[in-house]
Amino acid sequence: MPSETLTITDNRTGKQYEISIKNGAIKATDLFQIRISEEEGLVSYDPGFMNTASCQSKITYIDGDRGILRYRGYPIEQIAEKSSYLETAYLILYGELPNKTQLEDWTHNITFHSIIHENIKKVIDSFHHEAHPMGVLISTVGALSTFYPEAKKIFDVKTRRAQTYRLISKMPTLAGFAYRHSLGLPYSYPDNDLSYTGNFLNMLFKMTELKYKPNPVLERALDILFILHADHEQNCSANAMRSVGSSQVDPYSAVAAAAAALYGPLHGGANEAVLRMLMEIGSKDKVPEFIKKVKGGEGRLMGFGHRVYKNYDPRAKIIKEIADQVFEVRGRNPLLDIALELERIALSDDYFIKRKLYPNVDFYSGLIYQSMGLPMDMFPVLFAIPRTAGWIAQWEEMLMDADQKLARPKQVYLGAEIRDYVPMEKRS
Ligand code: ACO
């Protein structure tokens, strides 16, 4: 049996070190013994965590080269076909598919926590009508911590369960209210007779009718989109959730931090960029010209390429099918033809083939949301709602992991050496 170790020779000193390898990883702290002086041991320098595992996890598995995504071992294709978002959230959070009673209890608990305190409504009222709904969501989910001070008891399992119900249940309500506020429409309150996504559509789109009836195709399409966005292992916002949560703050504050991370255009904002790109191209015949520009280094083909997937993003395949179903109900999105032409040309072009650039989840999701009547400002909000289950699962896993500590990276200091304070009159 080959030894599960790594031998390192420090050429500065000629010393050799043997470091153990476990689960394909070395411990960065084992490098600390490699030193030339008493003070500082060797550290690994890894901006953006390009090759650093910050945790061990049992939640989501991705194999980017083979285009594989699994939640708790189940392939995303099977979950999207057979499951619902709430069942998927249960699976992600608790590790197993629920039995019938567990699913009924879970669904009941999520459904019956959807009302928000009227004072939160006043917080939403106080935002300018042009306030970005994602800014409203981040603020109000953070504000929820002041309504549930017991949430600070993060090591109490019952308290954690209660906040889990509240967070998954109230995120759509906060999002729906933020959307209605931006339009100056009266808030539409949760309807407990509807499904998770049916109720969300009700909170977005109900007008004067006494009872909102969601279109079943759109309701299911949104449910599948929520399944596809429920978790994606150690992405930027999951890392924010774990990092902020490691200070042992309450989960509402940590979710606010994770949502803030998602707000950035490099993370949750790519589908908006895709729509803007399609509108800028304008028509199918302009696609070859656009591709030529991208190949010449003028901008990127948005919705293509991924840090992890070097193959077709498995979520993009599923989303493409949903797009067809939504367009059948809502009419064909005129930007679809441009998107299809871009995909057709890019997938047969050497530039994209060589660099393993394939459509990612964002290439079609924006088109679907737009067809459902949702403005681009709502896109990151539509991402944050389902991702809440993933954030909480990552947070709980972190809390229960004895290896985890307060997240506090090291730095490589390159600044000034010690020097004496210069009085104002002597400064240039
Ligand atoms: N269009 C054109 N060229 C691209 C694209 C693209 N979308 N993506 C990567 N490339 C090229 C780069 O120019 C580079 O070429 P070079 O080797 O000649 O310099 C090569 O492919 C590798 O690119 P990197 O930037 O090193 O790849 P990285 O893994 O860091 O980038 C990223 C991944 C950021 C997603 C990139 O593909 C991109 O910008 N895509 C467009 C934005 C997008 O769709 N983001 C959503 C991602 S999905 C999500 O976050 C939910």
Side-chain angles (χ1 to χ4, degrees):
M1 271 274 283
S3 156
E4 282 289 296
T5 59
L6 180 74
T7 303
I8 299 175
T9 306
D10 184 346
N11 292 322
R12 300 171 301 177
T13 59
K15 279 193 190 165
Q16 262 201 359
Y17 303 84
E18 192 158 296
I19 287 175
S20 47
I21 300 173
K22 202 174 160 200
N23 300 319
I26 59 159
K27 277 191 170 174
T29 46
D30 283 348
L31 298 176
F32 201 65
Q33 58 183 306
I34 305 173
R35 55 179 69 208
I36 39 175
S37 73
E38 279 302 300
E39 287 147 30
E40 280 294 314
L42 195 70
V43 295
S44 61
Y45 173 60
D46 189 7
F49 300 107
M50 294 287 288
N51 192 34
T52 294
S54 64
C55 63
Q56 299 182 13
S57 183
K58 294 180 174 171
I59 303 170
T60 293
Y61 173 77
I62 300 175
D63 179 336
D65 288 329
R66 292 194 290 154
I68 290 174
L69 169 62
R70 294 180 200 139
Y71 296 153
R72 301 283 187 182
Y74 294 103
I76 191 68
E77 295 80 3
Q78 289 184 25
I79 299 178
E81 187 192 334
K82 299 186 170 122
S83 191
S84 68
Y85 171 69
L86 279 191
E87 189 182 51
T88 306
Y90 185 101
L91 170 71
I92 286 174
L93 279 154
Y94 304 121
E96 296 297 335
L97 286 166
N99 63 29
K100 195 167 173 288
T101 320
Q102 286 167 331
L103 183 60
E104 279 166 11
D105 287 351
W106 169 246
T107 306
H108 175 88
N109 281 319
I110 299 299
T111 308
F112 282 79
H113 280 91
S114 53
I115 294 272
I116 51 174
H117 195 288
E118 286 291 289
N119 284 350
I120 280 280
K121 202 179 79 179
K122 288 185 202 151
V123 175
I124 297 174
D125 280 339
S126 68
F127 280 95
H128 191 263
H129 70 276
E130 281 180 352
H132 195 291
M134 193 62 175
V136 178
L137 183 72
I138 293 166
S139 316
T140 49
V141 73
L144 282 184
S145 76
T146 65
F147 290 80
Y148 306 109
E150 74 275 17
K152 287 189 172 66
K153 289 195 270 172
I154 55 170
F155 292 109
D156 177 59
V157 66
K158 265 179 85 180
T159 311
R160 278 205 311 276
R161 289 287 168 275
Q163 312 326 309
T164 302
Y165 300 146
R166 286 175 176 147
L167 271 162
I168 294 180
S169 187
K170 292 181 202 302
M171 284 294 266
T173 315
L174 297 174
F177 280 28
Y179 175 66
R180 305 282 289 204
H181 177 73
S182 70
L183 297 177
L185 288 171
Y187 301 122
S188 170
Y189 279 73
D191 180 343
N192 287 356
D193 294 337
L194 298 175
S195 71
Y196 190 74
T197 46
N199 174 47
F200 181 49
L201 290 169
N202 155 68
M203 290 190 287
L204 294 174
F205 298 128
K206 181 170 184 281
M207 296 307 280
T208 52
E209 65 271 41
L210 284 180
K211 187 111 183 134
Y212 179 82
K213 283 203 192 90
N215 179 300
V217 175
L218 302 186
E219 186 181 1
R220 177 63 186 151
L222 195 56
D223 205 59
I224 297 174
L225 283 162
F226 277 11
I227 290 172
L228 300 182
H229 286 91
D231 193 55
H232 212 229
E233 51 119 308
Q234 304 312 312
N235 54 84
C236 180
S237 57
N239 182 59
M241 182 80 194
R242 280 178 175 264
S243 187
V244 172
S246 76
S247 73
Q248 301 190 353
V249 74
D250 69 88
Y252 300 99
S253 303
V255 165
L262 187 70
Y263 194 3
L266 292 189
H267 189 8
N271 51 8
E272 177 177 342
V274 172
L275 275 197
R276 291 199 191 285
M277 172 190 76
L278 296 175
M279 289 189 282
E280 192 191 310
I281 296 171
S283 61
K284 205 171 138 183
D285 55 306
K286 301 262 171 60
V287 168
E289 193 187 319
F290 179 81
I291 296 265
K292 205 170 146 198
K293 276 194 198 163
V294 169
K295 284 163 62 178
E298 282 181 60
R300 289 198 161 189
L301 176 48
M302 299 311 289
F304 259 68
H306 197 278
R307 171 63 60 76
V308 181
Y309 295 116
K310 301 302 171 194
N311 201 322
Y312 215 100
D313 179 340
R315 300 167 300 173
K317 272 188 199 152
I318 302 167
I319 279 193
K320 216 174 151 184
E321 287 162 25
I322 305 172
D324 291 336
Q325 295 162 18
V326 170
F327 298 154
E328 217 161 279
V329 175
R330 302 282 299 182
R332 198 176 162 82
N333 188 324
L335 297 175
L336 179 68
D337 290 330
I338 304 173
L340 288 171
E341 183 67 357
L342 272 175
E343 186 182 341
R344 190 187 66 78
I345 297 185
L347 289 182
S348 57
D349 189 298
D350 245 16
Y351 175 96
F352 296 91
I353 295 170
K354 254 206 234 138
R355 290 169 179 78
K356 299 186 175 170
L357 301 171
Y358 293 87
N360 60 49
V361 69
D362 290 314
F363 194 64
Y364 288 104
S365 63
L367 284 174
I368 302 177
Y369 290 141
Q370 193 185 46
S371 289
M372 284 181 166
L374 287 155
M376 284 188 270
D377 276 357
M378 280 297 282
F379 292 0
V381 172
L382 291 158
F383 196 155
I385 295 171
R387 185 53 62 85
T388 302
W391 289 333
I392 301 171
Q394 298 284 347
W395 169 74
E396 267 207 293
E397 191 176 63
M398 180 271 304
L399 287 180
M400 297 299 109
D401 182 348
D403 275 359
Q404 288 296 330
K405 288 190 179 310
L406 174 71
R408 205 303 189 185
K410 288 213 159 192
Q411 64 169 3
V412 177
Y413 180 71
L414 299 176
E417 290 293 331
I418 186 166
R419 48 188 174 161
D420 286 326
Y421 180 81
V422 182
M424 182 63 80
E425 61 277 12
K426 292 208 172 148
R427 292 179 212 163
S428 56

